[in-house]
């Protein structure tokens, strides 16, 4: 499902996965977020507003930590079962692209902010947890960002992000439901493809 | 003849039933009964904002040095903190209100009229609070969703809160010189619009239907605030 360049997959598979196999979900969120933020802050191209470069960083550092199949299934709700396996795969790929594009834009906005990680209360047997974080912005109230995480054989993966009480999956469930209702699963696939083909978000003016 | 009339009545009924059904398909949901009107207002907003307000806000961000913009944001934020505190009192959050009034006191004096947010630097956190949230906590229903051009998403309840807030000034009462007051209002509006630029860029990339996306995100975020970050699960049959 996740098509990483072979070399990245190899590197990730050989070095990263064993090292972090036992990593707790909150430690994972913190490591990945700090890693991405550090890269965004230090990279000259990204500072200059190079969205393609941000997306590349995300592909390598963020994408492997999300379960896009589950995210797509949740966002589709009851419509997921009416889609064929081919449609499901296509929808997952398109939704993943859309999320990566969206996140690339959002992350470049967050580069001047600091993250605050809330302590996680969990039992060792838990397979689903919510990791809570906060973005501190100067002169504005902090924004709460929660990650819903699940335990998988490849470690913990996020399947929803809730920003200031707005769940990504639920917001897209409304989008997907309405679109499927008016133009069917095919219509939704077309809408997603068109959306992804649209112009990349403009670099933030700063 | 009678049969023909009966048939005609039948046909008319059937036709109106079809119309009704078609109407229903496009008919807005419970949360957005004014959807056709709101969508029209949203289109108006997109044209006016996209051609006038947004370019001005972008120019403001581009040509004004960051320290100046941050001073402007802090100045207006400091005034807002006063009302955040008042709303926390109305909601019975004494401790939070104490923080809010402490912020105003500190920033107005040592922060030179609110231009510097010393309170945040000292770890006194800023809160989100307004009359719409207070009304919500008092149990007042949000009412229909509204999209107001040049203002954005709101509801009858939240919009009422905004009107109440506008009546309380205090710039209206402190600055009596009308042109100066208008300039201050203008800068305040620009400051708000500029702060929304980043989020708007994200919505542009994320949304299949921008109107719907903004509405749903707005209503959820407000619900979250009214329930103090712990909203009860939504009634929704689509979940897995």
């Amino acid at each position: 499902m996740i098509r990483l360049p072979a070399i990245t997959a190899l590197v990730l598979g050989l070095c990263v996965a064993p090292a972090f196999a036992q990593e707790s979900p909150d430690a994972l969120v913190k490591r990945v977020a700090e890693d991405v933020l550090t890269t965004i802050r230090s990279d000259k191209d990204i500072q200059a507003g190079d969205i393609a470069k941000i997306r590349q960083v995300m592909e390598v550092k963020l994408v492997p930590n999300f379960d896009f199949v589950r995210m797509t299934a949740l966002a589709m709700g009851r419509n997921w079962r009416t889609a064929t396996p081919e449609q499901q795969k296509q929808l997952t790929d398109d939704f993943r692209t859309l999320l990566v594009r969206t996140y690339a834009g959002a992350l470049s906005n967050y580069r001047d902010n600091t993250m605050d990680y809330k302590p996680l209360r969990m039992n060792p047997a838990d397979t689903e947890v919510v990791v809570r974080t906060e973005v501190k912005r100067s002169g504005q109230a902090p924004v709460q960002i929660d990650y819903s995480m699940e335990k998988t054989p490849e470690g913990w993966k996020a399947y929803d992000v809730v920003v200031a009480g707005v769940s990504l999956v639920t917001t897209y469930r409304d989008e997907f439901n309405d679109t499927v209702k008016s133009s069917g699963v095919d219509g939704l696939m077309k809408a997603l493809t068109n959306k992804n083909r649209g112009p990349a978000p403009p670099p933030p003016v700063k | 003849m009678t049969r023909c009339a009966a048939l005609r009545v039948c046909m008319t009924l059937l036709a109106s039933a079809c119309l009704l059904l078609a109407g229903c398909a496009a008919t807005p949901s419970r949360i957005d009964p004014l959807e056709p009107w709101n969508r029209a207002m949203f289109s108006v907003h997109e044209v006016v904002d996209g051609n006038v307000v947004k370019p001005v806000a972008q120019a403001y961000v581009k040509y004004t040095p960051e320290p100046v913009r941050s001073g402007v944001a802090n100045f207006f934020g400091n005034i807002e903190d006063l009302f955040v505190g008042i709303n926390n009192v109305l909601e019975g959050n004494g401790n939070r209100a104490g923080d809010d009034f402490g912020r105003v006191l500190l920033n107005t004096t040592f922060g030179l009229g609110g231009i510097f947010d010393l309170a945040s630097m000292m770890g006194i956190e800023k809160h989100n609070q307004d009359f719409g949230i207070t009304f919500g906590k008092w149990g007042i229903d949000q009412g229909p969703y509204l999209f107001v051009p040049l203002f954005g998403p709101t509801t009858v309840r939240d919009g009422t809160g905004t009107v109440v807030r506008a009546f309380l000034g205090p710039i209206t009462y402190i600055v009596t010189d009308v042109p100066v007051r208008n300039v201050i209002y203008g800068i305040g509006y620009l400051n708000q619009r500029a702060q929304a630029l980043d989020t708007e860029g994200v919505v542009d990339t994320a949304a299949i239907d921008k109107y719907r996306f903004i509405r749903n995100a707005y209503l959820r975020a407000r619900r979250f605030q009214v329930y103090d970050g712990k909203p009860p699960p939504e009634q929704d049959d689509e979940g897995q």
Side-chain angles (χ1 to χ4, degrees):
Chain A
M1 186 270 304
I2 295 160
R3 284 168 296 175
L4 283 172
I7 189 77
T8 317
L10 200 69
V11 170
L12 279 175
L14 289 182
C15 323
V16 184
F20 294 109
Q22 300 303 313
E23 193 175 27
S24 66
D26 52 335
L28 174 85
V29 167
K30 186 172 181 179
R31 175 178 61 82
V32 173
E34 287 303 313
D35 188 14
V36 170
L37 281 174
T38 310
T39 311
I40 285 177
R41 286 187 197 120
S42 59
D43 191 296
K44 289 262 183 318
D45 296 335
I46 292 175
Q47 289 294 325
D50 186 346
I51 295 281
K53 190 79 180 277
I54 303 177
R55 283 172 68 177
Q56 189 196 324
V57 169
M58 294 198 39
E59 286 288 343
V60 178
K61 295 181 192 286
L62 273 184
V63 161
N65 300 300
F66 281 86
D67 181 349
F68 287 104
V69 177
R70 181 157 179 205
M71 287 178 102
T72 316
L74 284 171
M76 287 287 288
R78 58 178 169 204
N79 294 315
W80 182 247
R81 271 159 285 148
T82 66
T84 66
E86 292 77 35
Q87 286 177 323
Q88 290 182 348
K89 192 187 170 299
Q90 185 65 40
L91 281 164
T92 307
D93 282 355
D94 285 342
F95 189 37
R96 170 182 167 280
T97 308
L98 180 64
L99 289 179
V100 169
R101 277 170 62 116
T102 305
Y103 253 55
L107 273 176
S108 64
N109 294 339
Y110 284 145
R111 65 187 163 202
D112 301 327
N113 304 119
T114 50
M115 300 280 272
D116 203 19
Y117 305 89
K118 299 288 165 71
L120 175 71
R121 277 163 302 177
M122 70 173 281
N123 297 316
D126 285 349
T127 54
E128 302 254 332
V129 294
V130 176
V131 176
R132 299 185 191 284
T133 70
E134 240 177 38
V135 180
K136 304 256 184 201
R137 306 172 297 170
S138 65
Q140 284 171 286
V143 180
Q144 198 178 320
I145 302 186
D146 297 344
Y147 298 85
S148 303
M149 316 267 300
E150 56 170 3
K151 199 176 190 173
T152 74
E154 302 100 57
W156 289 87
K157 283 182 193 285
Y159 66 88
D160 195 10
V161 184
V162 183
V163 181
V166 182
S167 150
L168 198 72
V169 158
T170 318
T171 303
Y172 273 107
R173 190 178 296 154
D174 300 331
E175 290 274 278
F176 287 7
N177 248 332
D178 288 357
T179 313
V180 169
K181 217 177 275 169
S182 59
S183 48
V185 174
D186 279 330
L188 173 62
M189 289 168 66
K190 206 176 284 170
L192 280 176
T193 316
N194 285 343
K195 188 76 209 168
N196 287 333
R197 229 189 276 131
V205 269
K206 267 201 187 125
Chain B
M1 192 60 201
T2 31
R3 267 188 68 187
C4 203
L7 199 71
R8 211 178 298 148
V9 169
C10 255
M11 290 292 276
T12 317
L13 272 178
L14 207 72
S16 39
C18 280
L19 270 178
L20 210 71
L21 276 178
C24 277
T27 292
S29 50
R30 189 169 40 84
I31 53 162
D32 191 3
L34 307 172
E35 183 165 350
W37 167 260
N38 281 334
R39 278 195 187 266
M41 289 301 105
F42 182 70
S43 310
V44 171
H45 169 85
E46 288 283 274
V47 172
V48 180
D49 181 78
N51 287 302
V52 184
V53 183
K54 192 177 170 185
V56 175
Q58 284 170 327
Y60 168 72
V61 174
K62 197 169 173 187
Y63 297 111
T64 317
E66 212 286 316
V68 176
R69 272 187 286 130
S70 137
V72 169
N74 287 339
F75 173 79
F76 288 104
N78 184 48
I79 296 175
E80 244 25 72
D81 276 345
L82 178 65
F83 294 94
V84 170
I86 290 172
N87 277 294
N88 269 326
V89 169
L90 294 176
E91 291 167 26
N93 300 325
N95 286 341
R96 287 189 167 204
D99 276 3
D100 300 328
F101 293 137
R103 284 179 55 86
V104 176
L105 213 59
L106 205 68
N107 287 341
T108 307
T109 53
F110 296 106
L112 306 181
I115 293 170
F116 297 99
D117 185 0
L118 296 180
S120 286
M121 292 177 208
M122 291 169 64
I124 311 174
E125 207 165 81
K126 196 176 171 69
H127 301 130
N128 264 326
Q129 203 58 260
D130 55 55
F131 287 102
I133 298 176
T134 301
F135 295 158
K137 289 196 177 174
W138 288 352
I140 297 171
D141 192 70
Q142 64 184 13
Y145 173 76
L146 296 170
F147 192 95
V148 183
L150 300 182
F151 178 75
T154 189
T155 58
V156 170
R157 181 192 71 204
D158 294 346
T160 308
T162 309
V163 172
V164 170
R165 167 70 193 84
F167 268 110
L168 294 173
I171 290 172
T172 328
Y173 308 113
I174 296 169
V175 185
T176 43
D177 188 274
V178 175
V180 173
R181 189 199 293 160
N182 288 344
V183 169
I184 296 176
Y185 280 147
I187 297 172
Y189 182 73
L190 204 58
N191 166 58
Q192 274 196 339
R193 184 63 189 88
Q195 284 181 339
L197 283 173
D198 285 349
T199 318
E200 192 201 0
V202 174
V203 172
D204 278 335
T205 333
I208 297 176
D209 176 345
K210 195 175 170 187
Y211 169 83
R212 186 174 61 196
F213 195 97
I214 291 174
R215 177 192 67 201
N216 295 341
Y218 173 80
L219 292 176
R220 288 233 168 72
R222 293 300 284 177
R223 191 165 179 269
F224 186 76
Q225 289 173 323
V226 167
Y227 284 103
D228 257 334
K230 295 168 205 73
E234 286 177 69
Q235 290 169 344
D236 132 53
D237 57 344
E238 340 272 18
Q240 291 200 342

